Every structure is written in structure tokens, then in C-alpha cells.
Amino acid sequence: MAMASEAPKDGFRLSMLIYDTRFRSFTIQVIVLILVLLGIAWLVDNTIQNLAAKDKDISFGFLWNRAGYDIEQQLIPYTNDSTHGRAAIIGLLNTLVVAFWGCIFATVIGVFVGVLRLSKNWLVGRLMTVYVEAFRNVPLLLWIIVVFVVTSETAPQPKDFKVTAEMIQTGAEPAAQKVLFDSIAITNRGWFIPGPLFERPLPTINLGSMSINLTWLAVVIVLVGSFWANRRVLRHARLVQEDTGIRPVTWWKSLLILIAPIVILLVAMGFHLDIPVFPTDDAGVSKGFNFQGGILVQHSFSALLIALSLYTGAFIAEAVRAGVLAISRGQTEAAYALGLRPGRTMNLIVLPQALRVIIPPLISQYLNLTKNTSLGIAVSYLDLRGTLGGITLNQTGRELECMLLMMAIYLTISLIISSLMNVFNSAVKLKER
């Protein structure tokens, strides 16, 4: 009996593209690809014609025009005379800052809550359940606005921190006090926190439109090198343990490698903290209307960060709880039989195995958190959405170009995060021999 998969005895015919099962799937794929490309081409051509009908074209030249607006939170130098392209970079950095710290805080909160939700203590377990249900069932936008209102409306004014002549005479204290060793002032204008200063900084290299601060570059290089050296020490200790069964003592080596290089570098550059204070006269009476020195953290940033961390932490907590429950209870009972305490059993036995279940949904939560930073526009936080997709778009009228740029940037960030987490997932997944 002749089979459809057998090689044809005759030469190739065009009818084989449809009736021969060996070529039919390729034919269908080529047809679908052509239809998709034709659809995209029609869409692009239709867009260009419609823009031309309104005397508009597609151009990204506006990125080199003067922006003309201020941005309060800046990680690199920027003025209103800078270009729209530089304003977009400022917004991108603000987005990355919120996303970076949000992922860290949300992970800590999620692991903590996820483990406590499995606690045998009835009250602790129910409190964690209330937190999870409250945050994941209320829209994130509402939490951002609520946190912003609470942090900005309930904080005292800067003048409440001032010391007057009457207070000095009567020995009274100001209406408000700074916290954390008298270093941080929480006001209705924002959080005034200590800022880093260097008495002997390294020079800055100017490269036209951008500059490289060698001081912070040296700090980053030393930190990365210290972590790399510590990983080498730990890897060597693990290999020795596998060969001899005895693990060398590494804690003092790790402390020395991680702390000594950065401390030596900071001391060499004269590092110290710039504490925010009110200027005073000779009698100690405060002058001016606001703090001087330090760094002002806007309420829009802190509210967005807090809301994102708590909201995403609720979803991560459920992923952690599911991962822990996926581990067989026999693992825990075996650890108890060996004499391990519950805390060490969770840290050494359960959580390392649960990571294989936790990481895939954790990647999705990191991506969601990064994209949700665009909601900061609700509290006037100038991230990528607020600069490129907000003020720049309104000033230039280049809505299509701005949207395309934002989509490309968010897509790139998401792919980078996904790739890094997939690498980490491959490192911790179960190795089959």
C-alpha cells in the first residue's frame, strides 16, 4: 500500500504544494506570512496617507528640539533648555528606578507574607489573608492615589521643623522632629533624606551630549568586582566540600571582600553624608522657608513605589504560597527528623525547591510592575509616560512617534527582564543527570 509520506516517483509538480502532506504545511505558512505582511503594509500606507491628508508626516526630529519644561527628579543633569530626547532619557531613568526598587521591595514583601500566610498561628494567617485580598482586589490606580494623599496630607510643613527665638528662650521643641537619628525630615513637600558627598571626587568626562561621572563608575566597578570575587570564594568552598565533605570557613573572607574595598574607596574619596538642615544664625534660630542640603524625594515617587510594592507583593505572596505547598510534606518531616528547626527547614529545604515553582509567575509580576509604573502620571510622577508620552507629546503633537517610541522602550525593558529571569530560572532549576 502506498503511503502519503513516501517519496514521489515523479518530479515536483505545483499541485504537490496543496495535496502532498510534506509541502502543505509550508504552503500554508507562506500564505499566512504573505497575508500578514500585506496587512501591515496596508496599515502603514493607510496611516501615511491619512497623516499626509492632515499635512503631517512621520519624523523623529522633534527629539532634538528644546524641551522647555522642568523635571523635578533627575538622575543626570537636565534643564528646561535640554532636548526632548534628553527629557525622554530622564523619564526612562525615573521609570527604571521605580521598577528596580519596586521589584526588590515587592519580592521581600511577597516572600514574607507568602510564608506567614501558611503560619499555624490563626491571627497571623488571617491578617496576611486580609492583606492579600485587599490589595489584589482593588485597582492599583486607587492605591497609588490613596498612598499619595495619605503621605502628602498627613505630613507636617517644613516650618514645623524650625527653631524660633521663643523656643530657645522657653526651651520648647519644634512641632515636628526628624526621624532616624535626626537625619530624615518627612514633610508635606516630600522626604528630605541625606545625600552623598565626596570631598575628593574623581573627574567627570564630558562626551558632548552626555557625561561620565568617574566617581560613581568607580563605586559600581568596585561593588561588582567584590561580588564577583565573593562568588569565586563561595564556589571554591563548595568544590572543596564536594571533594572532602568539609566546608571551609568563608564568612570572614566574604565580609572582608564585600566591605573592605568599598570602604577604602569611599574613605579615599572623602565620602560623607549631607544632612538636610535649616540654616541658622549665631543664636541658633532657623532661617529660610525650606531645608537645605540632602536630597528631596517627591511624594509622587514614594507613593508610586509604596503602592507598586504592596500591590505586586500581594500577587508574589500567592506565588510563594503555591510554591511552598507544591513541596511534599515528607521533605519537611524528614528535615524535622534530622533535627532541623522550622526556620532552617524553610530556608534550607523548602524555599530552594519552591523557587522552581515560584520563578515563572515571578517573571510575570516583575513585567507587570515595570509596565504599571506608567500609572505614576496620576500623581504627576514624570517617568517615561509623563515626559515622552505626556508633556513632549502635547508640545510637539507627535503622538504616533511618541507612542511608537514608548512601545519599543517598554518592549525592550520587558524582554531584558524576562531574559535575565529566565537565566536565573535555568540556574536554579532541577539538574537531570
Side-chain angles (χ1 to χ4, degrees):
M1 183 177 64
M3 302 296 293
S5 59
E6 292 179 352
K9 297 179 181 179
D10 300 330
F12 179 76
R13 302 184 304 276
L14 288 178
S15 60
M16 295 169 63
L17 295 175
I18 299 176
Y19 298 109
D20 194 322
T21 56
R22 295 175 302 167
F23 303 109
R24 185 183 301 161
S25 61
F26 295 104
T27 305
I28 295 174
Q29 292 180 51
V30 171
I31 293 174
V32 171
L33 178 61
I34 292 174
L35 291 176
V36 171
L37 292 178
L38 287 175
I40 294 175
W42 174 83
L43 185 62
V44 172
D45 181 68
N46 192 35
T47 302
I48 293 175
Q49 290 184 10
N50 288 333
L51 289 175
K54 296 182 178 180
D55 295 331
K56 298 178 68 174
D57 59 353
I58 298 178
S59 172
F60 294 92
F62 69 93
L63 293 175
W64 282 263
N65 296 337
R66 179 177 178 271
Y69 60 89
D70 295 321
I71 302 176
E72 294 179 344
Q73 180 175 309
Q74 310 163 10
L75 296 182
I76 59 175
Y78 170 84
T79 65
N80 54 18
D81 289 328
S82 302
T83 63
H84 284 293
R86 194 170 185 84
I89 294 175
I90 297 290
L92 172 60
L93 293 176
N94 290 343
T95 296
L96 295 177
V97 168
V98 174
F100 175 77
W101 289 110
C103 289
I104 292 177
F105 292 146
T107 303
V108 173
I109 294 172
V111 173
F112 184 74
V113 174
V115 172
L116 285 184
R117 200 176 175 195
L118 297 171
S119 172
K120 295 180 181 179
N121 187 305
W122 185 88
L123 180 60
V124 173
R126 294 303 178 275
L127 286 176
M128 296 303 106
T129 301
V130 169
Y131 158 73
V132 171
E133 298 300 334
F135 273 90
R136 72 175 184 174
N137 290 305
V138 175
L140 174 58
L141 180 61
L142 299 183
W143 282 117
I144 294 174
I145 295 174
V146 168
V147 175
F148 179 78
V149 171
V150 171
T151 55
S152 59
E153 296 297 331
T154 60
Q157 301 179 33
K159 68 178 184 181
D160 294 332
F161 293 83
K162 297 178 65 174
V163 177
T164 62
E166 291 77 11
M167 292 180 182
I168 296 177
Q169 293 175 357
T170 59
E173 296 289 336
Q177 298 286 340
K178 292 191 287 187
V179 299
L180 197 61
F181 306 107
D182 203 28
S183 62
I184 298 177
I186 302 176
T187 73
N188 60 353
R189 297 182 184 178
W191 295 30
F192 291 88
I193 63 175
L197 284 181
F198 296 92
E199 295 179 356
R200 298 175 291 277
L202 298 178
T204 300
I205 300 177
N206 292 317
L207 300 174
S209 59
M210 64 176 295
S211 58
I212 299 176
N213 191 321
L214 295 182
T215 301
W216 288 110
L217 181 62
V219 171
V220 172
I221 292 175
V222 169
L223 288 176
V224 173
S226 298
F227 279 104
W228 178 80
N230 184 52
R231 284 182 59 87
R232 298 283 297 180
V233 170
L234 296 179
R235 183 173 180 271
H236 178 264
R238 181 171 55 81
L239 293 176
V240 171
Q241 184 180 14
E242 291 177 354
D243 292 338
T244 64
I246 301 174
R247 185 177 181 82
V249 178
T250 59
W251 65 267
W252 65 271
K253 296 179 182 177
S254 296
L255 285 178
L256 187 64
I257 293 173
L258 292 175
I259 296 178
I262 189 65
V263 170
I264 293 174
L265 177 65
L266 294 179
V267 171
M269 293 191 297
F271 172 80
H272 65 278
L273 292 176
D274 183 21
I275 306 296
V277 294
F278 267 105
T280 57
D281 58 14
D282 296 336
V285 177
S286 301
K287 300 187 298 183
F289 300 97
N290 209 347
F291 286 94
Q292 292 187 359
I295 298 175
L296 173 60
V297 179
Q298 300 289 335
H299 280 306
S300 56
F301 172 81
S302 56
L304 181 61
L305 179 60
I306 293 172
L308 281 173
S309 302
L310 293 175
Y311 181 81
T312 310
F315 290 90
I316 294 178
E318 286 301 275
V320 171
R321 187 172 70 93
V324 172
L325 290 177
I327 305 303
S328 171
R329 184 165 179 77
Q331 300 272 347
T332 304
E333 293 174 348
Y336 290 164
L338 292 174
L340 290 180
R341 295 180 178 179
R344 294 185 65 81
T345 301
M346 179 62 71
N347 293 332
L348 300 177
I349 306 296
V350 178
L351 280 182
Q353 298 182 76
L355 279 177
R356 300 175 186 122
V357 180
I358 296 172
I359 289 178
L362 193 63
I363 298 175
S364 299
Q365 294 307 321
Y366 285 171
L367 298 180
N368 289 336
L369 188 148
T370 303
K371 291 180 288 187
N372 286 337
T373 57
S374 60
L375 293 176
I377 192 69
V379 289
S380 301
Y381 181 68
L382 291 182
D383 63 342
L384 186 64
R385 171 68 180 84
T387 55
L388 182 62
I391 302 176
T392 295
L393 185 152
N394 292 329
Q395 286 188 359
T396 61
R398 296 288 181 178
E399 62 279 356
L400 181 61
E401 293 89 339
C402 291
M403 289 298 132
L404 289 175
L405 281 175
M406 282 200 302
M407 291 169 64
I409 292 173
Y410 278 118
L411 176 63
T412 304
I413 296 174
S414 298
L415 291 177
I416 291 175
I417 294 175
S418 181
S419 300
L420 293 177
M421 291 301 296
N422 284 329
V423 171
F424 179 66
N425 187 31
S426 300
V428 301
K429 73 178 182 181
L430 186 63
K431 303 293 189 301
E432 297 182 358
R433 299 180 179 177

